[in-house]
Amino acid sequence: GFIWDGGVMSDIGSPPFGRGTFSRGNDINEAGVITGVSHSSRGGMVVPYTAFIYDHGDWTELPSFGGADGYGNAINDRGDVVGSAEYDGQGSGGPHGALWSDGSIVDLGELGSDKSSVAQDINNSGQIVGVSLDPAGLSRAFIWERGSIRDLGDFGGAQSWAYGINDRGQMVGSAEDGDG
């Protein structure tokens, strides 16, 4: 991972807790705090990935829901991170959208499938957007706010995806039209 500041690219390195040397910054807030994905400290035959916070040289590994992998996709100016995390023994389900805030991890749920969801972005009001599989296994854009997840719809097609949200609550993504 790296940070680009003042025209200079600096290597942030890899975390002291990781079982490998990989790191990737995915987002940075106004205070220069980074979230992303790196090798994890968690065990297993394959080195799992973990969500992290990198704060000016200090690394924090963010917990999963008991499973191996976690991914940090976005961070707001309060330091809240969103992404996804796995449960132990996933079974038929996949990772769930996660919010790491004030030392806790919150499962954002999914849109009725119990399969998977991924949080892509968070604004400074705590609104979160991402994508969830529905019961048919199709991708659906969602917004999560005040503890509730809601499908954002589409243009008459079967699938939609949400990738970003600003502080005004405007969201961006893509959606299929009636022709797919």
Side-chain angles (χ1 to χ4, degrees):
F2 71 86
I3 182 169
W4 179 276
D5 188 19
V8 176
M9 179 188 278
S10 300
D11 184 353
I12 65 170
S14 57
F17 51 75
R19 291 179 34 218
T21 60
F22 168 75
S23 70
R24 180 182 71 223
N26 287 336
D27 198 20
I28 186 169
N29 68 15
E30 291 297 320
V33 180
I34 299 168
T35 191
V37 61
S38 68
H39 284 133
S40 173
S41 67
R42 293 185 276 279
M45 293 189 61
V46 177
V47 178
Y49 294 109
T50 191
F52 70 79
I53 293 174
Y54 176 85
D55 187 355
H56 301 89
D58 293 326
W59 291 86
T60 303
E61 182 175 20
L62 299 175
S64 70
F65 295 119
D69 290 329
Y71 296 85
N73 291 333
I75 186 168
N76 66 13
D77 291 338
R78 292 183 6 194
D80 300 327
V81 172
V82 296
S84 64
E86 288 184 340
Y87 279 92
D88 188 24
Q90 291 285 210
S92 62
H96 276 204
L99 165 64
W100 291 272
S101 179
D102 297 324
S104 304
I105 183 173
V106 175
D107 184 339
L108 302 179
E110 35 63 41
L111 294 172
S113 69
D114 196 31
K115 293 184 179 177
S116 73
S117 61
V118 175
Q120 297 288 1
D121 200 11
I122 183 171
N123 66 15
N124 288 320
S125 298
Q127 295 173 302
I128 299 166
V129 295
V131 64
S132 173
L133 295 181
D134 70 7
L138 299 172
S139 296
R140 304 297 302 172
F142 72 78
I143 183 168
W144 185 92
E145 54 188 339
R146 295 183 287 281
S148 180
I149 190 170
R150 181 172 43 108
D151 190 327
L152 291 175
D154 54 55
F155 295 122
Q159 301 190 88
S160 59
W161 303 263
Y163 297 112
I165 185 167
N166 67 16
D167 287 337
R168 293 175 59 190
Q170 297 171 314
M171 296 162 257
V172 295
S174 61
E176 290 181 348
D177 64 15
D179 295 328

Tab-separated table of all heavy atoms in Angstrom, residues 139-177:
chain	number	residue	atom	x	y	z
A	139	SER	N	-27.588	-9.338	-7.947
A	139	SER	CA	-27.010	-8.197	-7.243
A	139	SER	C	-28.005	-7.053	-7.167
A	139	SER	O	-28.643	-6.699	-8.160
A	139	SER	CB	-25.745	-7.726	-7.969
A	139	SER	OG	-24.768	-8.735	-7.943
A	140	ARG	N	-28.117	-6.459	-5.968
A	140	ARG	CA	-29.028	-5.348	-5.738
A	140	ARG	C	-28.308	-4.247	-4.963
A	140	ARG	O	-27.698	-4.498	-3.928
A	140	ARG	CB	-30.245	-5.794	-4.929
A	140	ARG	CG	-31.032	-6.941	-5.524
A	140	ARG	CD	-31.642	-6.634	-6.848
A	140	ARG	NE	-32.521	-5.475	-6.734
A	140	ARG	CZ	-33.083	-4.872	-7.762
A	140	ARG	NH1	-32.838	-5.277	-8.996
A	140	ARG	NH2	-33.871	-3.835	-7.590
A	141	ALA	N	-28.384	-3.015	-5.467
A	141	ALA	CA	-27.828	-1.863	-4.767
A	141	ALA	C	-28.633	-1.621	-3.502
A	141	ALA	O	-29.850	-1.765	-3.491
A	141	ALA	CB	-27.889	-0.631	-5.663
A	142	PHE	N	-27.929	-1.253	-2.414
A	142	PHE	CA	-28.642	-0.949	-1.177
A	142	PHE	C	-28.095	0.311	-0.527
A	142	PHE	O	-26.975	0.743	-0.798
A	142	PHE	CB	-28.584	-2.117	-0.186
A	142	PHE	CG	-27.242	-2.351	0.475
A	142	PHE	CD1	-26.812	-1.551	1.534
A	142	PHE	CD2	-26.416	-3.380	0.059
A	142	PHE	CE1	-25.583	-1.767	2.156
A	142	PHE	CE2	-25.195	-3.614	0.663
A	142	PHE	CZ	-24.778	-2.796	1.716
A	143	ILE	N	-28.918	0.874	0.346
A	143	ILE	CA	-28.492	1.891	1.296
A	143	ILE	C	-28.813	1.356	2.676
A	143	ILE	O	-29.853	0.706	2.880
A	143	ILE	CB	-29.147	3.270	1.069
A	143	ILE	CG1	-28.584	4.273	2.073
A	143	ILE	CG2	-30.666	3.178	1.120
A	143	ILE	CD1	-28.926	5.722	1.783
A	144	TRP	N	-27.901	1.572	3.612
A	144	TRP	CA	-28.097	1.207	5.004
A	144	TRP	C	-28.022	2.485	5.819
A	144	TRP	O	-27.055	3.255	5.703
A	144	TRP	CB	-27.012	0.236	5.453
A	144	TRP	CG	-27.169	-0.319	6.838
A	144	TRP	CD1	-27.800	-1.477	7.170
A	144	TRP	CD2	-26.674	0.231	8.064
A	144	TRP	NE1	-27.730	-1.691	8.533
A	144	TRP	CE2	-27.026	-0.636	9.105
A	144	TRP	CE3	-25.953	1.380	8.385
A	144	TRP	CZ2	-26.700	-0.404	10.426
A	144	TRP	CZ3	-25.627	1.624	9.707
A	144	TRP	CH2	-26.005	0.737	10.713
A	145	GLU	N	-29.069	2.758	6.584
A	145	GLU	CA	-29.061	3.923	7.464
A	145	GLU	C	-29.943	3.655	8.666
A	145	GLU	O	-30.973	2.977	8.552
A	145	GLU	CB	-29.486	5.198	6.736
A	145	GLU	CG	-30.808	5.142	6.026
A	145	GLU	CD	-31.072	6.376	5.174
A	145	GLU	OE1	-30.462	7.426	5.410
A	145	GLU	OE2	-31.900	6.264	4.260
A	146	ARG	N	-29.495	4.141	9.817
A	146	ARG	CA	-30.222	3.983	11.077
A	146	ARG	C	-30.635	2.533	11.334
A	146	ARG	O	-31.759	2.255	11.763
A	146	ARG	CB	-31.419	4.929	11.128
A	146	ARG	CG	-31.002	6.394	11.140
A	146	ARG	CD	-32.168	7.342	11.273
A	146	ARG	NE	-33.004	7.473	10.096
A	146	ARG	CZ	-32.710	8.203	9.023
A	146	ARG	NH1	-31.580	8.858	8.964
A	146	ARG	NH2	-33.541	8.271	8.007
A	147	GLY	N	-29.737	1.604	11.041
A	147	GLY	CA	-29.959	0.194	11.352
A	147	GLY	C	-30.805	-0.584	10.381
A	147	GLY	O	-31.152	-1.732	10.639
A	148	SER	N	-31.142	0.011	9.227
A	148	SER	CA	-32.026	-0.651	8.278
A	148	SER	C	-31.420	-0.641	6.876
A	148	SER	O	-30.873	0.366	6.429
A	148	SER	CB	-33.376	0.065	8.272
A	148	SER	OG	-34.257	-0.545	7.379
A	149	ILE	N	-31.549	-1.771	6.171
A	149	ILE	CA	-31.056	-1.905	4.802
A	149	ILE	C	-32.247	-1.814	3.842
A	149	ILE	O	-33.323	-2.352	4.119
A	149	ILE	CB	-30.274	-3.225	4.625
A	149	ILE	CG1	-29.540	-3.271	3.289
A	149	ILE	CG2	-31.154	-4.434	4.850
A	149	ILE	CD1	-28.558	-4.429	3.160
A	150	ARG	N	-32.050	-1.099	2.723
A	150	ARG	CA	-33.145	-0.901	1.757
A	150	ARG	C	-32.608	-1.040	0.337
A	150	ARG	O	-31.572	-0.495	-0.010
A	150	ARG	CB	-33.732	0.492	1.959
A	150	ARG	CG	-34.885	0.835	1.045
A	150	ARG	CD	-35.540	2.149	1.433
A	150	ARG	NE	-34.592	3.200	1.777
A	150	ARG	CZ	-34.345	4.262	1.015
A	150	ARG	NH1	-34.979	4.439	-0.122
A	150	ARG	NH2	-33.485	5.177	1.401
A	151	ASP	N	-33.349	-1.752	-0.498
A	151	ASP	CA	-33.040	-1.919	-1.918
A	151	ASP	C	-33.250	-0.581	-2.628
A	151	ASP	O	-34.279	0.067	-2.466
A	151	ASP	CB	-33.975	-2.982	-2.509
A	151	ASP	CG	-33.612	-3.428	-3.911
A	151	ASP	OD1	-33.100	-2.616	-4.706
A	151	ASP	OD2	-33.868	-4.604	-4.218
A	152	LEU	N	-32.274	-0.164	-3.443
A	152	LEU	CA	-32.382	1.103	-4.169
A	152	LEU	C	-33.113	0.986	-5.504
A	152	LEU	O	-33.403	1.992	-6.133
A	152	LEU	CB	-30.984	1.688	-4.416
A	152	LEU	CG	-30.258	2.186	-3.179
A	152	LEU	CD1	-28.843	2.612	-3.534
A	152	LEU	CD2	-31.021	3.330	-2.536
A	153	GLY	N	-33.398	-0.231	-5.948
A	153	GLY	CA	-34.135	-0.397	-7.195
A	153	GLY	C	-33.226	-0.542	-8.407
A	153	GLY	O	-32.040	-0.809	-8.294
A	154	ASP	N	-33.844	-0.335	-9.598
A	154	ASP	CA	-33.124	-0.478	-10.865
A	154	ASP	C	-33.905	0.269	-11.941
A	154	ASP	O	-34.839	0.995	-11.628
A	154	ASP	CB	-32.946	-1.956	-11.230
A	154	ASP	CG	-34.272	-2.709	-11.243
A	154	ASP	OD1	-35.203	-2.276	-11.965
A	154	ASP	OD2	-34.392	-3.720	-10.546
A	155	PHE	N	-33.530	0.079	-13.187
A	155	PHE	CA	-34.226	0.716	-14.319
A	155	PHE	C	-35.078	-0.297	-15.078
A	155	PHE	O	-35.156	-0.263	-16.286
A	155	PHE	CB	-33.233	1.363	-15.278
A	155	PHE	CG	-32.474	2.521	-14.681
A	155	PHE	CD1	-31.092	2.511	-14.627
A	155	PHE	CD2	-33.142	3.624	-14.173
A	155	PHE	CE1	-30.388	3.577	-14.081
A	155	PHE	CE2	-32.454	4.687	-13.628
A	155	PHE	CZ	-31.076	4.663	-13.583
A	156	GLY	N	-35.703	-1.219	-14.377
A	156	GLY	CA	-36.531	-2.234	-15.009
A	156	GLY	C	-35.791	-3.525	-15.290
A	156	GLY	O	-36.373	-4.482	-15.776
A	157	GLY	N	-34.512	-3.569	-14.969
A	157	GLY	CA	-33.720	-4.783	-15.135
A	157	GLY	C	-33.688	-5.581	-13.847
A	157	GLY	O	-34.436	-5.312	-12.904
A	158	ALA	N	-32.812	-6.554	-13.801
A	158	ALA	CA	-32.771	-7.453	-12.654
A	158	ALA	C	-31.735	-7.062	-11.614
A	158	ALA	O	-31.839	-7.487	-10.463
A	158	ALA	CB	-32.479	-8.871	-13.142
A	159	GLN	N	-30.716	-6.262	-11.979
A	159	GLN	CA	-29.608	-6.038	-11.063
A	159	GLN	C	-29.219	-4.563	-10.975
A	159	GLN	O	-29.446	-3.795	-11.909
A	159	GLN	CB	-28.390	-6.861	-11.495
A	159	GLN	CG	-28.679	-8.357	-11.541
A	159	GLN	CD	-27.437	-9.178	-11.735
A	159	GLN	OE1	-26.793	-9.534	-10.766
A	159	GLN	NE2	-27.103	-9.470	-12.980
A	160	SER	N	-28.615	-4.213	-9.832
A	160	SER	CA	-28.076	-2.874	-9.635
A	160	SER	C	-26.938	-2.940	-8.627
A	160	SER	O	-26.836	-3.897	-7.847
A	160	SER	CB	-29.170	-1.916	-9.156
A	160	SER	OG	-29.742	-2.374	-7.944
A	161	TRP	N	-26.073	-1.936	-8.653
A	161	TRP	CA	-24.898	-1.878	-7.797
A	161	TRP	C	-24.694	-0.436	-7.330
A	161	TRP	O	-24.773	0.480	-8.148
A	161	TRP	CB	-23.645	-2.321	-8.555
A	161	TRP	CG	-23.740	-3.695	-9.133
A	161	TRP	CD1	-23.257	-4.851	-8.580
A	161	TRP	CD2	-24.337	-4.081	-10.377
A	161	TRP	NE1	-23.527	-5.918	-9.400
A	161	TRP	CE2	-24.198	-5.476	-10.512
A	161	TRP	CE3	-25.004	-3.386	-11.386
A	161	TRP	CZ2	-24.671	-6.183	-11.611
A	161	TRP	CZ3	-25.480	-4.092	-12.473
A	161	TRP	CH2	-25.308	-5.474	-12.588
A	162	ALA	N	-24.396	-0.219	-6.050
A	162	ALA	CA	-24.095	1.122	-5.528
A	162	ALA	C	-22.644	1.136	-5.070
A	162	ALA	O	-22.204	0.233	-4.349
A	162	ALA	CB	-25.012	1.476	-4.374
A	163	TYR	N	-21.899	2.171	-5.478
A	163	TYR	CA	-20.463	2.235	-5.189
A	163	TYR	C	-20.041	3.429	-4.359
A	163	TYR	O	-19.003	3.369	-3.707
A	163	TYR	CB	-19.670	2.237	-6.495
A	163	TYR	CG	-19.841	0.980	-7.296
A	163	TYR	CD1	-20.514	1.005	-8.504
A	163	TYR	CD2	-19.357	-0.231	-6.836
A	163	TYR	CE1	-20.691	-0.155	-9.250
A	163	TYR	CE2	-19.529	-1.394	-7.567
A	163	TYR	CZ	-20.191	-1.357	-8.766
A	163	TYR	OH	-20.369	-2.502	-9.492
A	164	GLY	N	-20.782	4.527	-4.386
A	164	GLY	CA	-20.351	5.713	-3.670
A	164	GLY	C	-21.507	6.542	-3.159
A	164	GLY	O	-22.602	6.522	-3.727
A	165	ILE	N	-21.257	7.276	-2.067
A	165	ILE	CA	-22.243	8.196	-1.504
A	165	ILE	C	-21.498	9.412	-0.963
A	165	ILE	O	-20.440	9.282	-0.351
A	165	ILE	CB	-23.090	7.519	-0.397
A	165	ILE	CG1	-24.199	8.461	0.093
A	165	ILE	CG2	-22.227	6.999	0.748
A	165	ILE	CD1	-25.274	7.782	0.937
A	166	ASN	N	-22.049	10.593	-1.217
A	166	ASN	CA	-21.420	11.809	-0.695
A	166	ASN	C	-22.156	12.288	0.553
A	166	ASN	O	-23.134	11.676	0.995
A	166	ASN	CB	-21.322	12.893	-1.776
A	166	ASN	CG	-22.661	13.431	-2.227
A	166	ASN	OD1	-23.697	13.260	-1.580
A	166	ASN	ND2	-22.655	14.095	-3.378
A	167	ASP	N	-21.688	13.388	1.116
A	167	ASP	CA	-22.286	13.897	2.348
A	167	ASP	C	-23.678	14.495	2.150
A	167	ASP	O	-24.386	14.749	3.121
A	167	ASP	CB	-21.351	14.913	3.010
A	167	ASP	CG	-20.148	14.231	3.646
A	167	ASP	OD1	-20.231	13.030	3.964
A	167	ASP	OD2	-19.115	14.903	3.827
A	168	ARG	N	-24.083	14.701	0.918
A	168	ARG	CA	-25.449	15.150	0.625
A	168	ARG	C	-26.416	13.976	0.494
A	168	ARG	O	-27.615	14.171	0.306
A	168	ARG	CB	-25.465	15.971	-0.659
A	168	ARG	CG	-24.713	17.295	-0.517
A	168	ARG	CD	-24.621	18.057	-1.803
A	168	ARG	NE	-25.952	18.354	-2.329
A	168	ARG	CZ	-26.177	18.850	-3.537
A	168	ARG	NH1	-25.159	19.119	-4.338
A	168	ARG	NH2	-27.396	19.095	-3.951
A	169	GLY	N	-25.900	12.754	0.542
A	169	GLY	CA	-26.740	11.569	0.393
A	169	GLY	C	-26.961	11.157	-1.047
A	169	GLY	O	-27.776	10.278	-1.324
A	170	GLN	N	-26.239	11.779	-1.976
A	170	GLN	CA	-26.329	11.377	-3.381
A	170	GLN	C	-25.480	10.123	-3.579
A	170	GLN	O	-24.350	10.041	-3.089
A	170	GLN	CB	-25.820	12.490	-4.294
A	170	GLN	CG	-26.648	13.751	-4.216
A	170	GLN	CD	-25.984	14.902	-4.952
A	170	GLN	OE1	-24.790	15.145	-4.799
A	170	GLN	NE2	-26.765	15.606	-5.743
A	171	MET	N	-26.034	9.157	-4.309
A	171	MET	CA	-25.364	7.879	-4.521
A	171	MET	C	-25.082	7.663	-5.998
A	171	MET	O	-25.823	8.160	-6.848
A	171	MET	CB	-26.246	6.745	-4.007
A	171	MET	CG	-26.475	6.808	-2.525
A	171	MET	SD	-27.876	5.819	-2.007
A	171	MET	CE	-29.103	7.088	-1.768
A	172	VAL	N	-24.016	6.909	-6.275
A	172	VAL	CA	-23.692	6.545	-7.648
A	172	VAL	C	-23.500	5.040	-7.752
A	172	VAL	O	-23.185	4.374	-6.765
A	172	VAL	CB	-22.423	7.266	-8.176
A	172	VAL	CG1	-22.658	8.754	-8.267
A	172	VAL	CG2	-21.210	6.947	-7.334
A	173	GLY	N	-23.695	4.541	-8.957
A	173	GLY	CA	-23.522	3.109	-9.200
A	173	GLY	C	-23.960	2.797	-10.614
A	173	GLY	O	-23.852	3.637	-11.506
A	174	SER	N	-24.472	1.613	-10.797
A	174	SER	CA	-25.001	1.220	-12.105
A	174	SER	C	-26.201	0.320	-11.892
A	174	SER	O	-26.352	-0.292	-10.834
A	174	SER	CB	-23.922	0.523	-12.947
A	174	SER	OG	-23.474	-0.659	-12.303
A	175	ALA	N	-27.044	0.269	-12.933
A	175	ALA	CA	-28.257	-0.542	-12.865
A	175	ALA	C	-28.635	-0.991	-14.254
A	175	ALA	O	-28.442	-0.243	-15.226
A	175	ALA	CB	-29.406	0.245	-12.235
A	176	GLU	N	-29.166	-2.191	-14.350
A	176	GLU	CA	-29.635	-2.689	-15.635
A	176	GLU	C	-30.955	-2.036	-16.009
A	176	GLU	O	-31.787	-1.771	-15.141
A	176	GLU	CB	-29.849	-4.204	-15.574
A	176	GLU	CG	-28.572	-4.986	-15.475
A	176	GLU	CD	-28.828	-6.491	-15.444
A	176	GLU	OE1	-29.981	-6.937	-15.267
A	176	GLU	OE2	-27.846	-7.231	-15.582
A	177	ASP	N	-31.133	-1.837	-17.301
A	177	ASP	CA	-32.446	-1.396	-17.777
A	177	ASP	C	-33.276	-2.636	-18.120
A	177	ASP	O	-32.844	-3.769	-17.896
A	177	ASP	CB	-32.323	-0.429	-18.951
A	177	ASP	CG	-31.692	-1.049	-20.185
A	177	ASP	OD1	-31.586	-2.302	-20.281
A	177	ASP	OD2	-31.303	-0.296	-21.083
